[in-house]
């Protein structure tokens, strides 16, 4: 065999010196979760700069022929027990000069390795060719691709300087604010007080949906006067940047660079004030550590850790719990387990992948599946134990696996999921399934997303007595929560009486005293099937608008039924509110009664549109009541009209939600045209065909493209954001039952309507964009909690507190 150095020189042409724009992977294997700290270390291809674990680097050599690799191996440093603590020079943790946070330190060794015989040459060495030395130095000095992506996605929201701060007008009306003893000038509130920085008025804050907080006097004062900025008394200290300043016109917490000057105007010496109140952010955080939070996480319970196949935790990448909770449930299903684990090896996925496997969804799904299900990474972590003589001990925790590459691939091009902000688990679940369907080409033989898919049929009864049947396909059953169906009304009445007494006495309720409504799941399912009035329905039988009744049923029962509980609603004044409610969910449900019956004997279908009247009936018309209510909230008239039209005039709440999610659409200001007009009727057939290939019907594809200016991606979003639009046209016209051919249903999974609960995704927080998600999954005859990288036997699964419920069909 040739000498190692001669072998290296013979392969110099396969070595590249990386450019600044090259992505260099050096933290994690492309096809597994091996790292430099793994037993075999990490091998970096010195031509492509992709990284591979010891068991996988030979696959890359076979596929590419690249023989030269930089091997990185990290081993824990031995730290003397009597090591003196470093004196910090910076007020920081985990940085040079900061506090010692006792993180494990590692030694790093480097070698050049030449495949296929794993010939090794040490680095650094002056004997190595200069090109190799330069290449290795560049690789080691470069910011890793994993780190670059993390930094690029880190768009943590920071308070910005208010546009009203620099030129704020202050009124000299003789007000001098004392250093303590504050009270709202309009009520007896002595906490949650805000000082208006224009006129010095001290007023209480907003009333929370549960009756706590203030009496809205501060915001009412803004509406009367237009004075924009207020600061929360009790949050003002020598650290002025930490003070809670709120801008009413901008509707968010802001920075006021001239806050010291603005406070001095009313005689306030901030340097001597002590903090006595929580800021808005702190109060939200505090609310998230209440009884519900503890119960969902099963805090305070002795949770037995579980290790092994199927019990691998996912490391939180920074607000990625929505992804972790969802993926744990998804990969507990037979369909996804079979597709990406049982029936597809890592080797096959790698062979099928393009040159860069880090950007291939199939590869990264297979990597994630094998990481979660193999048990290879579900082992107790070794941690330093201060009380153990050996210095290390096995703990009840596991490190978990970081889903970096999967998150990067599934979120590519998506402005929200590609960030590190918290997201809605439901939205991510639907986005994920949509991508799975596209990646598998809608092939029912291999597409695991089909196991969640089912048909919904709407029966519309016109006042003429004639009917229309319209079908659509969905992945989730979204359910309203009818609070009036609560089964504990007597207890609730007693609680509200006690609460009123406590409030009048200025006392707080303890968690043990709180009573929440209990609503049976059956009531939520019944609400979905209940008749619903449709106003401004254009009847082709009457040739006029009328009121119709709509009832919904399922045309097929999926392998896995996902129920979404609509806990986030709008209360009076259009303030978002999270329903504080328990849902009584049984382990087994039967929805057989929800199967739609289709056209019945003796029923007569509504006639097709008459061609001569088509332009008249197809002209989009917005419900003026909806438009006027949206206008009163300050929205643009055209935007309000579009919101009403694109939500089929179904209601103010639906229009409001559409408007909030489409404010940034590029065509939001384009005038509305009649659908029958030549300008709006022309649609690129190739784009229609593209949408049809995604599984959408041609009529719906055309409608979505018209509504989205011909943009395929936005048209897809439009279809998912407007599920009602797949049943009737935008002005609530409906004709016959031929919207979806019956044959479409034959491709969907179907069976009996009995299901068993196997997964719960719970959420705690004031909105889906903050807080935390946790999954509970029934495995091997017991409930297991998956809380990011913590996996253990569940003592008390929160079955009544779920946001998403996952059921598996019982075939027996």
């Amino acid at each position: 065999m040739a000498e190692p150095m001669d072998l290296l020189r013979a392969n110099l042409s396969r070595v590249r010196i990386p450019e600044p724009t090259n992505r260099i992977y050096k933290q994690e294997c492309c096809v597994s979760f091996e790292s430099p700290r793994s037993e075999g270390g990490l091998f970096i291809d010195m031509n492509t700069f992709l990284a591979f674990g010891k068991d996988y680097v030979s696959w890359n050599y076979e596929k590419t022929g690249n023989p030269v690799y930089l091997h990185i191996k990290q081993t824990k440093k031995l730290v003397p027990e009597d090591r003196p603590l470093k004196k910090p020079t910076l007020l920081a943790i985990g940085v040079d000069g900061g506090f010692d946070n006792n993180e494990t330190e590692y030694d790093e060794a480097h070698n050049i390795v030449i495949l296929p015989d794993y010939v090794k040459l040490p680095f650094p060495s002056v004997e190595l060719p200069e090109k190799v030395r330069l290449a290795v130095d560049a690789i080691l000095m470069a910011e890793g691709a994993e780190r670059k992506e993390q930094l690029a996605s880190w768009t943590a929201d920071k308070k910005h300087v208010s546009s009203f701060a620099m030129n704020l007008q202050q009124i000299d009306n003789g007000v001098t604010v004392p250093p303590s003893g504050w009270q709202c000038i309009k009520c007896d509130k002595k906490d949650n007080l805000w000082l208006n920085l224009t006129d010095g008025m001290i007023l209480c804050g907003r009333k929370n949906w549960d009756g706590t907080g203030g009496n809205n006097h501060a915001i009412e004062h803004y509406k009367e006067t237009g004075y924009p900025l207020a600061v929360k008394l009790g949050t003002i200290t020598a650290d002025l940047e930490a003070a809670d300043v709120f801008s009413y016109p901008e509707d968010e917490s802001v920075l006021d660079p001239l806050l010291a000057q603005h406070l001095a105007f009313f005689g306030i010496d901030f340097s001597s004030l002590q903090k006595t109140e929580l800021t808005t952010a702190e109060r939200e955080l505090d609310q998230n550590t209440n009884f519900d939070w503890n119960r969902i996480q099963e805090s305070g319970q002795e949770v037995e850790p579980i290790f092994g196949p199927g019990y691998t935790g996912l490391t939180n990448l920074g607000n990625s719990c929505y992804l972790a909770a969802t993926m744990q449930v998804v990969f507990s299903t037979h369909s996804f387990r079979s597709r990406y684990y049982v029936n597809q090896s890592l080797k096959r996925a790698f062979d099928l992948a393009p040159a860069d496997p880090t950007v291939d969804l199939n590869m990264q799904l297979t990597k994630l599946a094998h990481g979660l299900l193999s048990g290879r990474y579900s082992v107790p972590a070794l941690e330093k134990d201060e009380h153990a003589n050996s210095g290390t001990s096995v703990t009840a925790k596991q490190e978990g696996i970081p889903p970096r590459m999967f998150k990067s691939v599934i979120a590519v091009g998506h402005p929200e999921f590609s960030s590190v902000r918290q997201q809605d688990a439901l939205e991510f679940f639907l986005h994920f399934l949509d991508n799975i369907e596209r990646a598998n080409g809608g092939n029912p033989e291999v597409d695991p997303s089909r196991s969640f898919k089912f048909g919904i049929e709407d029966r519309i009864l016109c006042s003429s007595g004639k009917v229309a049947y319209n079908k659509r396909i969905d992945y989730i059953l979204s359910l309203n929560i009818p609070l009036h169906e609560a089964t504990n009304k007597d207890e609730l009445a007693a609680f509200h009486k006690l609460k009123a007494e406590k409030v009048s006495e200025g006392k707080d309720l303890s968690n043990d005293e709180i009573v929440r409504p209990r609503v049976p799941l059956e009531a939520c399912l019944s609400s979905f099937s209940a008749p619903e009035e449709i106003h401004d329905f254009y009847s082709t039988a009457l040739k006029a608008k009328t009121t119709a009744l709509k009832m919904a049923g399922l045309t097929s029962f999926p392998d896995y039924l996902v129920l979404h509980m609509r806990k986030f609603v709008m209360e009076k004044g259009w303030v978002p509110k999270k329903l504080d409610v328990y849902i009584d969910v049984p382990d087994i449900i039967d929805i057989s009664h929800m199967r739609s019956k289709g056209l019945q004997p003796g029923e007569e279908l509504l006639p097709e549109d008459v061609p001569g009247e088509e332009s008249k009936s197809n002209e989009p018309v917005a419900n003026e009541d909806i438009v006027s209510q949206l206008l009163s909230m300050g929205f643009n008239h055209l935007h309000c009209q579009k919101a009403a039209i694109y939500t089929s005039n179904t209601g103010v709440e639906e229009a409001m939600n559409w408007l909030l999610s489409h404010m940034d659409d590029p065509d939001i200001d384009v005038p509305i045209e009649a659908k029958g007009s030549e300008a709006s009727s022309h649609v690129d057939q190739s784009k229609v065909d593209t949408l049809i290939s995604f599984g959408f019907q041609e009529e719906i594809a055309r409608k979505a493209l018209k509504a989205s200016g011909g943009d395929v991606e936005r048209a897809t979003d439009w279809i998912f954001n407007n599920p009602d639009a797949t049943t009737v046209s935008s002005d609530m016209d409906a004709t016959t039952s031929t919207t979806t051919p019956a044959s479409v249903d034959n491709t969907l999974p179907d069976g009996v309507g009995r299901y068993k609960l196997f997964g719960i995704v719970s959420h705690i927080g004031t909105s889906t964009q903050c807080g935390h998600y946790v999954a509970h999954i029934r495995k091997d005859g017991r409930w297991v909690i998956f809380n990011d990288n913590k996996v253990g036997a569940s003592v008390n699964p929160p079955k009544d507190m779920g946001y998403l419920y996952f059921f598996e069909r019982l075939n027996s």
Side-chain angles (χ1 to χ4, degrees), residues 202-254:
I202 296 175
L203 299 150
C204 60
R206 300 177 196 243
K207 179 178 287 188
N208 297 326
W209 62 267
D210 61 355
T212 62
N215 291 316
N216 290 328
H217 287 140
I219 191 168
E220 287 172 3
H221 184 65
Y222 158 69
K223 291 177 180 177
E224 293 168 5
T225 63
Y227 301 154
L229 300 183
V231 61
K232 189 172 186 180
L233 294 172
T235 68
I236 305 168
T237 65
D239 180 13
L240 276 184
E241 282 196 9
D244 205 352
V245 179
F246 193 85
S247 169
Y248 293 106
E250 295 161 297
D251 196 26
E252 61 183 334
S253 294
V254 294

Side-chain angles (χ1 to χ4, degrees), residues 349-409:
F350 179 71
D351 289 341
L352 292 173
D356 185 353
T358 68
V359 298
D360 181 54
L361 180 58
N362 182 63
M363 178 70 253
Q364 295 311 315
L365 277 166
T366 308
K367 170 181 170 177
L368 182 63
H370 282 256
L372 289 174
L373 302 174
S374 67
R376 180 169 184 168
Y377 307 101
S378 181
V379 293
L382 285 175
E383 286 198 348
K384 184 176 176 61
D385 189 336
E386 301 297 337
H387 305 289
N389 294 329
S390 63
T392 60
S393 67
V394 175
T395 73
K397 293 192 299 184
Q398 55 173 284
E399 289 184 5
I401 55 175
R404 293 189 199 95
M405 293 184 187
F406 164 70
K407 182 177 184 291
S408 178
V409 172

Side-chain angles (χ1 to χ4, degrees), residues 688-763:
V688 174
D689 294 339
T690 300
L691 288 177
I692 291 173
S693 72
F694 293 161
F696 302 125
Q697 304 147 41
E698 181 170 356
E699 180 184 338
I700 295 162
R702 288 185 178 279
K703 184 188 299 181
L705 286 166
K706 289 176 185 177
S708 307
D711 185 281
V712 172
E713 185 173 346
R714 286 185 52 241
T716 307
D717 291 339
W718 187 91
I719 292 172
F720 286 118
N721 288 330
N722 297 273
D724 288 341
T726 64
T727 64
V728 288
S729 62
S730 62
D731 57 349
M732 295 308 296
D733 296 346
T735 53
T736 70
S737 60
T738 58
T739 307
T740 304
S743 60
V744 172
D745 285 353
N746 296 333
T747 69
L748 298 176
D750 197 7
V752 297
R754 295 184 71 244
Y755 288 86
K756 185 172 184 178
L757 180 68
F758 80 93
I760 307 166
V761 172
S762 307
H763 171 268

